Each structure stands twice: as C-alpha cells, then as structure tokens.
C-alpha cells in the first residue's frame, strides 16, 4: 500500500466551490438543504488518491471528515497478523465520523481500493456547521446510526454463518453490482478473504466448491459468471 503521507494528500488539493466539479448530490451534502450544502462545499478540500494509497492509518491524528465522491475505500483493522475489512465506502459514503466527535485518533486504516476522490471537511468546519444548523447534526447522526447497524449485522453474519454461505453472499452481491456481467470478487482473493473475515485458502476452497456445484463458472482474467442464480441465492440465504 502506498501511504499518502502525514498530510493525507496524494495529489494537489483544491478548495471546493465553483472551480471543483462535484456532483450536487454528493452523499452527505446531497442530504442537506441546498444553502447548507453549498456553504460546506465551499469550505471543503478535494483530494485524489490513486489505487492502493493509504488515506489515513489506525492511530494517526484525525484530520476531519472524508466524503467519497468516486471510487472505493476499504476500512481495515489489523489483528493477529491479519487484516479485517470493517466496512467499504463508495461514492456517497463518509469516513472519519468517530474521531470527529469523540476526539482522539482514527480507530482504523482507510485505503483507496481504486482511484478515488474525496471531499475533506476539517473538524472545526464540521463542528461549526453542527452548531449553526441542526440539519447537519441530524444527517451525521443518521449516518452513524446506519454504520452501527451495519457493523452489528456484519459481526452477526461473520460469527453465525458458515464461510461458504458468506462467500456465496459476496458472489451474489458482485453479480448484482455487475448487472449480470462477468465480475471479480476484488483485486485479489486475499482482498476477498479480508472482506469475509477469513483467509485466502478458505476462499479458494469455497470458489472450487461453487464451481463443482455448477453455481459459478470461470469467465477469464480472474472473473466469474453465475451459471445457476437460483442455487446461488438459495446458498446465500442458507436454504441450500
């Protein structure tokens, strides 16, 4: 992984506003009244991160709130020599809420999985906006509540569901995201294993089992296609 450095700038940054091409409905900003959104947008800094760049590291000083404009960011924690994916944020997602309000350092590491652009709001800007407008506070609380629910469901899924079922659910999600076209599980089987909370060998065995059952078939270049969608859904839902 390439580290973006202490300042977190992988490429030249520029202030938000008229000179920055930002979708009007950029996640959090799109959830706020137009006037509030524009004020925050004008105070934001845009940063670009090439694939593999570390945006921030676990234990590093928190710099603010990151809003993903495009790309994909994997948030990881290391334990017992293995990396575990805590959550993945794509366009519209946010990063860094915990230290924003709790104070302290980042509790996990964020890495750009693909070329990624973010808007960054410093803590001072966000806190001032919360004090000025209750809509900002409500929007951030809603996002944090959704994050807590997602993490609880992820823990439940990882601790109660067999590895093959979790793999089938991931394959189904990738198939649906690709609109039925050939798909990859990630940049590598190791990356898929981290997202599932397991090891690469388990993923390899699981993919072999899905192929043997006629659920998926290789599509070349590390990609797969679904051969039996009904069987895949049944397996992912624990009915097979």
């Amino acid at each position: 992984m390439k580290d973006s450095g202490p300042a977190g700038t992988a490429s030249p940054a520029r202030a938000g506003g008229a000179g920055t091409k930002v979708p009007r409905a950029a996640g959090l900003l799109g959830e706020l009244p137009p006037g509030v959104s524009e004020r925050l947008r004008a105070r934001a800094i845009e940063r670009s991160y090439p694939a593999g760049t570390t945006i921030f590291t676990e234990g590093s000083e928190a710099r603010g709130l990151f809003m993903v404009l495009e790309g994909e960011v994997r948030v990881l924690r290391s334990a017992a020599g293995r990396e575990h994916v805590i959550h993945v944020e794509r366009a519209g997602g946010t990063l860094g809420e915990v230290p924003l309000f709790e104070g302290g350092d980042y509790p996990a590491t964020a890495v750009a999985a693909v070329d990624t652009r973010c808007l960054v709001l410093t803590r001072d800007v966000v806190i001032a906006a919360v004090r000025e407008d209750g809509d900002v506070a409500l929007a951030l609380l809603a996002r944090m509540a959704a994050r807590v629910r997602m993490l609880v469901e992820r823990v439940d899924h990882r601790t109660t569901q067999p590895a093959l079922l979790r793999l089938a659910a991931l394959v189904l999600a990738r198939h649906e995201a690709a609109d039925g076209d050939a798909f990859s599980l990630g940049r590598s089987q190791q990356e898929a294993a981290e997202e599932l909370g397991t090891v690469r060998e388990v993923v390899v065995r699981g993919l072999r089992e899905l192929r043997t059952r006629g659920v998926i078939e290789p599509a070349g270049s590390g990609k797969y296609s679904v051969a039996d969608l009904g069987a895949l859904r049944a397996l992912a839902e624990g009915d097979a």
Side-chain angles (χ1 to χ4, degrees), residues 179-237:
D179 291 327
D181 294 333
F183 58 89
S184 61
L185 294 183
R187 290 183 300 165
S188 66
Q189 291 176 336
Q190 178 61 38
E191 185 175 281
E194 291 169 0
E195 186 162 349
L196 293 172
T198 185
V199 295
R200 178 180 177 276
E201 290 74 15
V202 171
V203 172
V204 172
R205 288 198 300 269
L207 290 171
R208 186 183 304 121
E209 175 70 14
L210 293 178
R211 292 197 303 270
T212 300
R213 293 190 185 194
V215 176
I216 63 173
E217 56 188 15
S221 301
K223 294 186 176 182
Y224 300 90
S225 60
V226 174
D228 190 336
L229 183 57
L232 178 61
R233 289 190 187 280
L235 186 58
E237 295 168 2

Side-chain angles (χ1 to χ4, degrees), residues 28-60:
L28 175 64
L29 295 183
E31 299 165 10
L32 298 171
V36 177
S37 176
E38 291 303 324
R39 287 197 299 273
L40 285 177
R41 191 191 308 275
R43 300 173 187 174
I45 299 295
E46 180 183 333
R47 300 192 190 280
S48 296
Y49 302 93
T53 300
T54 299
I55 297 174
F56 54 77
T57 57
E58 178 181 345
S60 64

Side-chain angles (χ1 to χ4, degrees), residues 49-52 70-72 112-117:
Y49 302 93
E70 62 181 33
E72 179 179 309
V114 298
D115 291 348
T116 297
R117 285 194 307 128

